[in-house]
Amino acid sequence: MHPFVETSEIRVPDALIDQVLGQHEARDIIRQAAMQRRHVLLIGVPGTGKSLLGQAMAELTKVEQPEDILVFPNPEAPHQPSVRRVLAGHGQAQKAAHQTRAYRANESLRMLIWVVVVAIVLVSVYFAVRDQALTYLIGGGIGVALVLWLRRYMLASPTVSIPKLLVQHPAEHAPFVDATGLHAGALLGDVRHDPYQSGGVETPPHHLVEAGAIHRAHGGVLYIDEVSLLGLDAQHHLLTAMQERQFAITGRSPGSSGTMVHTSPVPCDFTLVLAGNIEDLEHLHPALRSRIRGYGYEIYTHESMADTEENQWLMARLVAQEVRRDGKIPHSSAAGVQAVVEAARQRCGQPGKLSCRFRELGGLIRIAGDIAIREGAQLITAAHVQRALTWSLPIEEQMLPTAPQRDENL
Amino acid sequence: MHPFVETSEIRVPDALIDQVLGQHEARDIIRQAAMQRRHVLLIGVPGTGKSLLGQAMAELTKVEQPEDILVFPNPEAPHQPSVRRVLAGHGQAQKAAHQTRAYRANESLRMLIWVVVVAIVLVSVYFAVRDQALTYLIGGGIGVALVLWLRRYMLASPTVSIPKLLVQHPAEHAPFVDATGLHAGALLGDVRHDPYQSGGVETPPHHLVEAGAIHRAHGGVLYIDEVSLLGLDAQHHLLTAMQERQFAITGRSPGSSGTMVHTSPVPCDFTLVLAGNIEDLEHLHPALRSRIRGYGYEIYTHESMADTEENQWLMARLVAQEVRRDGKIPHSSAAGVQAVVEAARQRCGQPGKLSCRFRELGGLIRIAGDIAIREGAQLITAAHVQRALTWSLPIEEQMLPTAPQRDENL
């Protein structure tokens, strides 16, 4: 292990992929998959760094042509709004241009109507005064009333023709979208319900269209953890979206007026990173898994690593990373790191191995840090980590009668 | 045990955290979690003090920058009201300022319209009298009618531009919000349904926005008991809110016009205290639990404590606390407390232990107190507690044929 006195001396790499600990092979595969834009299936116990691998992949993904996606009204078929792609950053400008044009056209029409009204009034008053006849005034009044009544049909709400900015992509980096546990509408896009669907008070259908996670991940990474929470139906749609690289949006709540709206296909060229436990594999649609096997990589994230000097050094880096990320706890002494390494040894349960459940170890480090803060200590010491060990036991172990005495009053 | 004659001599601490009985370790962890603003999962049988632990945590939480949250109309996109934060206490003032401005502008316009109306009437009457012609009067009448008809378009309702005070935070202490059993709309915020959405009679969308429990808990503690009542969907939204520390409000009832409204993100930086029984653990979203394990504490609240002198003294304090909190029953004698301790011993069912189901014990004390009041006694005695024991049997035990005789007339 490189010598150090406290973890503040340890440099944490900036790139997410270099912050991945313990999973050397997974790291290399993710690098390669990001370069070639391949799908990835990550299987392993919780807290071994699957989510970090997914985020790192998005960071490594090159965006060649970032796009914004706009949805326009379709005058021929109002319930089939049309979708257009523009270069990233141009979406807002296009929308604003349409907005200005619509408001200006509206303003001109409004002005024209007032000119007509004033003209009718002047002409009828002139003739009424000249001929001393009431008839002209009554005729003029009827004319004005007619124009004003027609006005509300002619002045359509200006929003009708303004496109909606469906997805706004960042220009610099590929998007990372976490779609874990989303219901079908949020994953695949949805069209909201409009209770007033006629009579001039309805919202134009294209304004009701909402992008799904698959569309927001266009050009980047779509990360779905706990794949067992995804229904077979949603998995099938996901498979279609992966194959076609575009997916039309329609209303997904039964009984909603949105089900009548169906957009033209919306681009969704994402790289899928599916994550889960080994049990989740059973709930995976065979066609989806087959597609990943055919067009991507399957990675098993290890739950332990060899107890070598190099890996003990990784543990020190883990402590430094967690302290920096948390921001509320102090750095750790070398002895504190040794205690964390010892905890990783014991949590693993196999001789000569260290646990790779980094989220749990992160929790342990944070609790040790909290104890250090409460005691006003400048550094996390081995004693703090030992105290944290009993305070970080899962409920299930706290309930056991053999649980270590945490409370002397029991 | 400290000597005492009656429980009125026993001082009850003011701080909620010091009123927690029996759960020493839980108390220490809550102190630490409040200091570092960590999430907490409390698991244990009902009545062991989980809710008190949550309230104590809110009391201990320091508010660094309390904020009020206002929602403003968005003239460009009326269905996307914008949300702004101001320092706590300034929300009401901002709203009042907007109110005054809107009413003043309205007043000026109203005055102008009446000036115009009076001018038209005077001019037409003058010309009618001078020329002895009725036509001028009719023309003037039409002019007045036109102005009054236009008036209702020009005088928009002043509420349109007034912001709504969404969340008003106390400046002195952190909020404690109990969100147990709330449906999604009340938990995550909702937009009410407006049956009139046009024609000038609609309510402006930003006035329909309602904050959820997560927003009201901003800066404080969100307490959710019986986590199994929360659907997987709601748990996932909760997880998102925890991670992002902000959560946009949209209508959550299908078929409501509120689903078309979607605010800008509303801050919700809360500390989550989830409570439940051991069976509830199964219904907990794995990602939510994993997040708490990684970024907080898991606490098991014990259902029994050792039968020591110190813990018997805690029982005396429990009696004193319950008497003071109830306010309708007299204090207890030392013998009455001894009878309660004996009941705690028997309820526990294990030798050498005392029950920690403090809510049940509190019920016993209240029943004993009621009996003492009925008998006009100055203090709760051991005899009162013994009578209360048969009167506080749960229904299930009352049904048993072996139940102790409660009514000598049977």
Side-chain angles (χ1 to χ4, degrees), chain A residues 365-388:
Chain A
I365 295 163
R366 266 180 285 275
I367 292 178
D370 288 355
I371 295 172
I373 285 284
R374 202 190 43 182
E375 294 185 353
Q378 294 294 310
L379 284 176
I380 298 174
T381 65
H384 295 143
V385 176
Q386 253 114 41
R387 271 281 279 298

Side-chain angles (χ1 to χ4, degrees), chain A residues 134 148 180 192-193 196 201 203 226 326 328 359 363 366 370-371 391 394-396 398-399 406 409-410, chain B residues 24-25 32 36 38 138 149 195 197-198 236 255 259-260 278 286 289-290 293-294 297-298 300 306 311:
Chain A
L134 204 60
L148 290 180
T180 305
R192 279 172 297 143
H193 177 63
Y196 300 94
V201 294
T203 310
E226 297 176 63
D326 191 77
K328 289 187 279 194
R359 195 185 289 130
R366 266 180 285 275
D370 288 355
I371 295 172
W391 278 26
I395 297 274
E396 287 82 355
Q398 292 180 35
M399 286 170 57
R406 306 188 349 147
N409 290 298
L410 282 180
Chain B
H24 291 82
E25 202 184 37
Q32 189 163 310
Q36 295 286 81
R38 307 278 187 206
I138 293 170
W149 184 69
Q197 288 162 59
S198 66
H236 194 267
T259 57
M260 290 193 297
I278 193 74
R289 177 150 187 213
S290 166
R293 274 194 65 70
Y297 294 86
E298 288 193 357
Y300 179 70
N311 286 341

Side-chain angles (χ1 to χ4, degrees), chain B residues 79-94:
Chain B
H79 283 101
Q80 289 163 30
S82 53
V83 170
R84 275 180 238 163
R85 314 159 161 214
V86 295
L87 272 179
H90 292 220
Q92 197 64 52
Q94 276 229 12

